[in-house]
Amino acid sequence: MLDFEKPLFEIKNKIESLKESQEKNEVDLQEEIDMLEASLERETKKVYTNLKPWDRVQIARLQERPTSLDYIPYIFDSFIELHGDRNFRDDPAMIGGIGYLNGRTVTVVGQQRGKDTKDNIYRNFGMAHPEGYRKALRLMKQAEKFNRPIFTFIDTKGAYPGKAAEERGQSESIATNLIEMASLKVPVIAIVIGEGGSGGALGIGISNRVLMLENSTYSVISPEGAAALLWKDSNLAKIAAETMKITANDLKGLNIVDEVINEPLGGAHKDVESQAATIKDTFVKHLNELEQMSNEELVNDRFDKFRHIGSVVE
């Protein structure tokens, strides 16, 4: 239960208590139950349509929030996962392969968090090593060779900052991805489905279109990290989240994100299939637009997009 959901759970508990009392004591409490259920519906809409940035950060981090592998079976007709970077090893924190979108062959790359403690350890909590980014680039260059559109799912706190990752060239692998993705001659569409953190997210995010789910976040640093740097107190993360402009609607207003995709009331985890259907429709719409461009136009479109982010204030 998240902090802002406490009033909703209080009403739910009252409803359950009345139902138990009604069944146990054989008394008619249906009128009171109906009133509370109506109140719960009103309060739920009120809470989830007035979320603060920190509330959205909490939703983006939910353990039950859908991952790349949760969405892929619903969005793509079929998917064959490919492994390894042909250099060191396979990185479970980065998944990728070939799929079909309405019969069109595409390449899919995504960061993958775990669903429980054991899976999170296996997936390294979605924080990829250098070989993860090299695997992603291998698949994207393969997609370019065979003229396949590329879809990337961004969902990571950041690239893994451990000693082994640095020894194997973490910074270089991400920098290479940025350079190579900028010049890919096929359509590239990225979507932030959870947390999009730091260069770890940008390493598969240089695209013609950047999409975000309503309750996802995208930032160079976490609110806790920003608070620790700015005010020497990570407990001020809530204030940092308010000022950092890391939510989907804020980033859309800054022209960093091209489209915000609405989520079911309560978050994407409430109805994964419905959320996936909405993502698929959005993918198809943007892909149809991008496929009207030539190879050179696709590269220029991507370059111009990132070149014009931000403004100079004198």
Side-chain angles (χ1 to χ4, degrees):
M1 178 179 64
L2 302 175
D3 292 340
F4 64 87
E5 294 178 316
K6 288 180 181 178
L8 305 181
F9 274 84
E10 290 175 3
I11 299 175
K12 288 179 182 178
N13 289 335
K14 289 179 182 178
I15 292 172
E16 291 302 317
S17 178
L18 286 177
K19 286 182 177 179
E20 289 177 9
S21 180
Q22 179 175 247
E23 185 176 344
K24 183 178 179 179
N25 301 317
E26 296 184 355
V27 293
D28 186 8
L29 300 173
Q30 194 57 48
E31 185 176 347
E32 289 86 345
I33 292 172
D34 290 342
M35 289 177 62
L36 282 172
E37 287 180 339
S39 175
L40 177 62
E41 185 177 353
R42 288 194 304 271
E43 287 300 310
T44 300
K45 289 180 180 178
K46 181 180 177 181
V47 165
Y48 286 107
T49 53
N50 293 281
L51 292 173
K52 303 295 183 185
W54 182 246
D55 299 333
R56 297 192 189 277
V57 170
Q58 291 180 291
I59 294 176
R61 291 174 174 175
L62 280 175
Q63 185 68 44
E64 58 265 39
R65 191 165 176 83
T67 65
S68 300
L69 287 176
D70 289 324
Y71 286 124
I72 286 172
Y74 290 114
I75 296 173
F76 302 99
D77 305 330
S78 64
F79 175 70
I80 302 171
E81 187 173 355
L82 303 177
H83 299 273
D85 68 339
R86 303 283 177 87
N87 185 38
F88 182 67
R89 66 156 187 145
D90 185 52
D91 187 351
M94 185 79 75
I95 59 101
I98 301 170
Y100 291 90
L101 181 65
N102 291 345
R104 176 77 158 92
T105 310
V106 300
T107 288
V108 183
V109 174
Q111 283 138 349
Q112 180 63 32
R113 295 179 292 105
K115 301 299 289 185
D116 52 38
T117 302
K118 182 179 179 180
D119 196 26
N120 262 320
I121 292 172
Y122 173 65
R123 301 284 183 184
N124 201 34
F125 296 86
M127 296 185 292
H129 287 75
E131 51 270 23
Y133 291 99
R134 290 175 181 137
K135 173 171 70 172
L137 182 59
R138 176 175 77 82
L139 296 177
M140 289 188 279
K141 295 299 284 185
Q142 180 192 80
E144 182 181 42
K145 179 178 180 179
F146 293 102
N147 195 33
R148 295 195 295 258
I150 300 167
F151 294 91
T152 70
F153 290 78
I154 296 171
D155 188 17
T156 184
K157 294 178 183 295
Y160 184 58
K163 180 183 177 183
E166 295 298 336
E167 288 174 341
R168 294 197 297 275
Q170 185 70 286
S171 300
E172 181 274 338
S173 66
I174 293 174
T176 298
N177 277 28
L178 303 186
I179 295 169
E180 294 291 342
M181 288 188 74
S183 59
L184 289 170
K185 295 179 175 61
V186 292
V188 185
I189 298 173
I191 180 170
V192 185
I193 59 174
E195 282 188 276
S198 192
L202 203 58
I204 60 169
I206 304 299
S207 55
N208 296 94
R209 299 289 183 270
V210 178
L211 316 174
M212 281 185 75
L213 293 188
E214 180 183 2
N215 294 314
S216 59
T217 61
Y218 199 22
S219 174
V220 70
I221 193 172
S222 69
E224 291 88 346
L229 285 173
L230 292 173
W231 306 305
K232 312 300 181 186
D233 187 356
S234 61
N235 293 321
L236 298 177
K238 184 176 181 179
I239 298 174
E242 297 280 348
T243 59
M244 289 170 64
K245 305 296 183 185
I246 63 176
T247 62
N249 287 324
D250 284 333
L251 294 169
K252 177 68 169 63
L254 294 170
N255 294 321
I256 294 172
V257 170
D258 297 289
E259 184 171 347
V260 177
I261 301 174
N262 292 331
E263 297 185 24
L265 196 66
H269 58 289
K270 297 293 185 181
D271 191 343
V272 181
E273 188 171 355
S274 171
Q275 184 69 78
T278 306
I279 293 172
K280 181 176 182 178
D281 290 342
T282 310
F283 276 176
V284 170
K285 179 184 72 174
H286 286 284
L287 181 58
N288 288 340
E289 294 174 0
L290 293 173
E291 286 190 320
Q292 305 304 311
M293 298 182 185
S294 67
N295 292 347
E296 184 178 354
E297 287 172 335
L298 285 168
V299 174
N300 290 336
D301 172 78
R302 201 176 305 123
F303 178 85
D304 290 340
K305 172 179 174 55
F306 285 89
R307 180 66 181 83
H308 290 98
I309 288 176
S311 59
V312 178
V313 180
E314 297 182 353

